[in-house]
């Protein structure tokens, strides 16, 4: 463990027990040698385990008896060899002590945007190598001034060995004043703000013209923007769990229900009752929000779903056409890391604040593994033994830029962890960029079916190996028969799976176009059922059925088709949009499930259509549809009966009504239900699932 004030803590307890010796970071962790009487040594060992500072997570303590060497005094020694296995800490939000200094006119760091200490500040994003010491961070180019050096070397100071320590005299500087940046925001400008793991694009969240301009320039039509605010209670309804998540030291974006009276421009999050909000997490954010006085849109510095820009020259080039003003600084970002996004019920994106923290696997990999993930919401995962290191969110892996980012970030990760992978785990889809990258690595390959990876991720994060049943409801994933799957009931363990039930495939007229235009799928369903198709343009499109209509059993397509039939949305601008709006339409409307067996999606789409024609209200139909899918999914499990553990995974289970209803129905039937808590149910969790499967198959 490094960068969490652990060595100073060791120093302090060694002093207290009057022990001689030393502490140092070597590449594998912290090494302590202490010399003294038995009582003192026992007291020291006890304090070591029980009084560790809040950020320190002690995984293991190994103790050995040595011959006394006659040490005198206790020292913090320079670090040992580089390139070991010790974990780089995650970035931590500004702590309360540093915040007090930031706004204290008598403090020498008053209004200094880079204040930090052993308990807070940049870590992962500035570390260039292990062990974690200032020369191996992007702070290497800022020699300490005399005052900072005194603090850094004083064991009694709260900045004792705080590696990124800085002050206005010796540390990084802004490219423009906070006041000028805030003024630009007040004027309605778009400001590119250099943050921890990349650039954000910021604008006044209450000002429609500014937000609409940002959308137009960023080429992002409807996908919601996140907000940064000091007063979340004015914008959203928060329960205790959400409030705790919001102010946790990871400071994720938390997706919560918006208040009806929230002063937020319509273009921030069109068509959804949810708002993604976060609190400021760097001193620069705190100063900017204080000077601006309201809430800001804070969205990743990129166009659409490209990787976030993080290098200064690159940001100027890529964001120059979007931002009016750049609020930058001269502390380099060594690796990109996007904001994390969480719901109280499950993670949506596990990134800044959480990475590179390891997630355990229930089985140890006998050889080092890299798992390359899927395509959308791309991540990779590197495994040594039982430890799985999931990468930050990389964006959608379908552009040149993403391709390059994936390779850069993977190299940085492998170097940081000193891992040379021998095995690569990948999706079965032959055309995914990640699959092609996997082939290029020339390692032993483990192909993992997409939905098996989803299920394995959920099992593994709970420390389980199965066997279990798995309901995996998803947009799209390549099946072992070459068709697209995604409405699956599997029986699986970590190594293998069996497909027990699934949605019947429906044609996607026009292929990818049918994913962007769900009405096409709805039309194909209605035509198949012999019902009139209400869309005139179907005449032009139906030809595609003969030439380009791949089959898909994806649950996402079923939700899309029902959304189209109910007039919720006929075409989408981002993944999941139609399903999100269908969930919103259903709301809390009470409904009983219809008679339907998990399988024939066409008939369910048709039932929704007929109910609408019969004059039933749309909300009631949407609610009945949700309950029908949940009830049929639970019934399908009941039919199989065993094992009694059911995992729920796949992007469709981000739908809270579907998730809640399915879980409740399964539990009523006596099943034990596992859902995602550590990795996302969407494709951001796929690489971890692939890693779990590979580890298990290598066993
Ligand atoms: Zn601090
Ligand atoms: Zn200084
Ligand atoms: Fe998926």
């Amino acid at each position: 463990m490094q960068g969490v004030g652990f060595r100073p803590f060791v120093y302090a307890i060694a002093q207290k027990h009057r022990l001689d010796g030393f502490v140092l970071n070597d590449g594998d962790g912290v090494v302590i040698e202490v010399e003294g009487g038995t009582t003192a040594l026992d007291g020291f060992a006890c304090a070591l385990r029980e009084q560790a500072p809040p950020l320190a997570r002690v995984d293991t303590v190994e103790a050995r008896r040595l011959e006394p060497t006659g040490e005198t005094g206790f020292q913090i020694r320079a670090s040992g060899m580089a390139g070991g296995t010790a974990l780089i800490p995650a970035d931590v939000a500004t702590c309360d002590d540093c915040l007090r200094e930031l706004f204290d006119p008598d403090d020498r760091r008053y209004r200094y945007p880079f204040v930090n200490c052993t308990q807070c500040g940049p870590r992962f994003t500035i570390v260039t190598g292990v062990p974690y010491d200032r020369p191996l961070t992007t702070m290497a180019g800022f020699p300490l001034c005399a005052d900072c050096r005194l603090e850094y070397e004083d064991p009694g100071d709260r900045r004792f060995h705080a590696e990124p320590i800085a002050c206005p005299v010796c540390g990084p500087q802004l490219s423009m004043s906070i006041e000028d940046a805030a003024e630009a925001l007040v004027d309605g400008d778009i400001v590119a703000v250099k943050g921890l793991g990349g650039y954000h694009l910021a604008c006044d969240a209450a000002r429609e013209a500014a937000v609409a301009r940002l959308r137009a320039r960023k080429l992002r039509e409807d996908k919601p923007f996140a907000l940064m605010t000091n007063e979340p209670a004015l914008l959203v309804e928060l329960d205790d769990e959400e409030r705790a998540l919001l102010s946790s030291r990871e400071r994720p974006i938390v997706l919560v229900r918006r208040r009806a009276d929230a002063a937020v421009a319509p273009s921030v999050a069109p068509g959804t009752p949810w708002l993604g909000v976060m609190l400021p997490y760097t001193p620069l954010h705190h100063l900017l929000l204080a000077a601006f006085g309201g809430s800001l849109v804070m969205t990743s510095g990129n166009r659409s779903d490209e990787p976030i820009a993080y290098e200064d020259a690159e940001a100027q080039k890529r964001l120059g056409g979007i931002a009016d003003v750049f609020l930058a600084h001269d502390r380099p970002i060594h690796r990109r890391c996007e904001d994390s996004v969480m719901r109280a019920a499950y993670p949506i994106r596990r990134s800044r604040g959480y990475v590179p923290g390891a997630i355990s696997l229930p089985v140890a990999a006998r050889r080092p593994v890299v798992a390359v993930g899927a395509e959308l919401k791309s991540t990779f995962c590197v495994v040594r033994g039982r430890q799985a290191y999931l990468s930050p969110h990389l964006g959608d892996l379908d552009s040149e830029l993403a391709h390059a980012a994936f390779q850069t970030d993977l190299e940085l990760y492998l170097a940081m962890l000193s891992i040379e992978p021998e095995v690569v785990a990948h999706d079965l889809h032959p055309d995914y960029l990640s699959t092609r990258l996997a082939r290029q690595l020339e390692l032993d390959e483990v192909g993992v079916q997409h939905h098996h990876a989803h299920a394995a991720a959920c099992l593994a994060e709970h420390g389980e190996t199965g066997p279990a049943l798995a309901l995996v409801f998803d947009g799209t994933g390549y099946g072992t028969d070459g068709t697209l799957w995604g409405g699956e009931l599997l029986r699986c363990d970590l190594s293998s799976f069996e497909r027990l039930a699934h949605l019947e495939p429906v044609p996607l007229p026009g292929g990818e176009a049918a994913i962007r235009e769900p009405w096409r799928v709805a039309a194909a369903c209605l035509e198949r059922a012999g019902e009139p198709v209400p869309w005139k343009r179907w005449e032009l499109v139906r030809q595609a059925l003969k030439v380009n209509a791949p089959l898909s059993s994806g649950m996402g397509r079923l939700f899309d088709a029902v959304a189209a039939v109910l007039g919720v949305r006929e075409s989408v601008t981002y993944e999941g949009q139609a399903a999100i709006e269908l969930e919103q339409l259903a709301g809390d409307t009470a409904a009983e499930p219809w008679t339907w067996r998990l399988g024939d999606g066409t008939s369910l789409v048709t039932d929704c259509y007929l109910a609408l024609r019969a004059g039933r209200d749309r909300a009631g139909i949407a609610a009945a549809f949700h309950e029908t899918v949940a009830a049929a999914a639970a019934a399908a499990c009941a039919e199989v009966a065993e094992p009694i553990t059911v995992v729920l995974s796949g992007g469709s289970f981000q739908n809270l009504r579907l998730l809640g209803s399915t879980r409740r129905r399964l539990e009523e039937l006596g099943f034990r239900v596992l859902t995602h808590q550590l990795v996302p149910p969407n494709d951001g969790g796929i690489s971890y699932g692939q890693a779990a499967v590979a580890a298990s198959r290598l066993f």
Side-chain angles (χ1 to χ4, degrees), residues 374 450-451 454 472 474-477 650-651 681-683 686:
H450 189 92
H451 304 98
H454 273 303
V472 186
D474 200 16
T476 287
N682 60 49
D683 283 5
I686 283 285

Side-chain angles (χ1 to χ4, degrees), residues 313-578:
E314 174 210 11
Q316 289 285 347
K317 205 168 90 191
R318 285 172 56 198
L319 308 180
I322 305 178
D324 301 301
V325 176
F326 276 75
L327 175 58
H329 57 73
D330 56 358
R331 185 180 73 201
I333 299 173
H334 186 61
R335 43 187 117 224
R336 104 191 75 225
C337 192
E338 296 221 31
D339 292 320
S340 294
V341 187
M342 298 283 150
R343 252 184 172 150
Y346 54 80
I348 296 173
R349 181 197 287 175
R350 183 185 183 273
S351 205
R352 176 188 48 76
Y354 299 90
V355 295
I359 306 174
S360 292
L361 289 174
V363 285
R366 290 170 67 173
R367 299 157 72 196
V369 175
V370 57
V372 295
E375 177 125 299
L376 301 179
K377 304 178 176 69
S378 169
T379 59
F380 58 77
C381 185
V382 179
V383 179
R384 174 170 40 214
R386 271 177 185 274
Q387 304 297 312
Y389 302 94
L390 192 55
S391 78
H393 170 82
L394 299 171
D396 293 349
L397 202 54
D398 54 3
S399 67
E400 252 328 284
L401 220 48
H403 185 224
F406 188 95
Q407 287 181 309
T408 312
D409 288 15
L410 179 57
E411 273 164 33
L412 285 172
Y413 238 63
L414 293 174
M416 170 183 78
L417 297 163
S418 308
I419 292 179
E420 280 192 36
E422 296 174 15
V423 176
V424 59
H426 60 82
D427 198 274
L428 296 183
H429 201 307
D431 298 331
Y432 279 176
L433 209 55
S434 60
T435 308
R436 282 191 246 144
L437 281 165
R439 298 259 145 85
Q440 285 164 20
L441 293 176
E442 296 184 349
L443 304 171
D444 290 345
E445 294 172 15
V446 177
V448 182
Q449 199 280 324
H450 189 92
H451 304 98
H452 183 213
H454 273 303
C458 195
L459 273 176
E461 71 161 81
H462 287 279
E464 303 201 7
T465 55
L469 297 177
L471 287 165
V472 186
F473 291 170
D474 200 16
T476 287
Y478 197 81
T480 49
D481 59 0
T483 69
L484 301 174
W485 295 3
E488 311 299 316
L489 171 60
L490 311 177
R491 181 182 2 234
C492 66
D493 54 23
L494 290 187
S495 309
S496 62
F497 74 96
E498 185 188 347
R499 198 183 190 202
L500 301 180
H502 57 87
L503 284 180
E504 292 302 329
V506 293
L508 305 180
E512 286 288 313
I515 294 175
R516 288 191 305 272
E517 299 179 17
W519 71 269
R520 292 174 178 232
V521 182
C525 289
L526 293 178
E527 177 158 302
R528 189 189 261 196
E531 294 295 329
V533 174
W535 292 280
K536 282 222 165 59
R537 54 193 190 280
W538 177 236
E539 281 314 310
L540 299 171
V541 171
R542 68 191 301 274
Q543 310 305 326
L545 281 177
K546 293 197 196 84
V547 280
N548 178 19
L551 294 175
S552 164
S553 65
M555 185 59 79
R557 302 292 82 77
L558 181 59
F559 272 77
D560 282 0
V562 170
V565 157
L566 295 184
V568 170
R569 176 162 288 278
E570 295 182 354
S571 60
V572 300
T573 64
Y574 64 91
E575 196 208 8
Q577 186 179 18

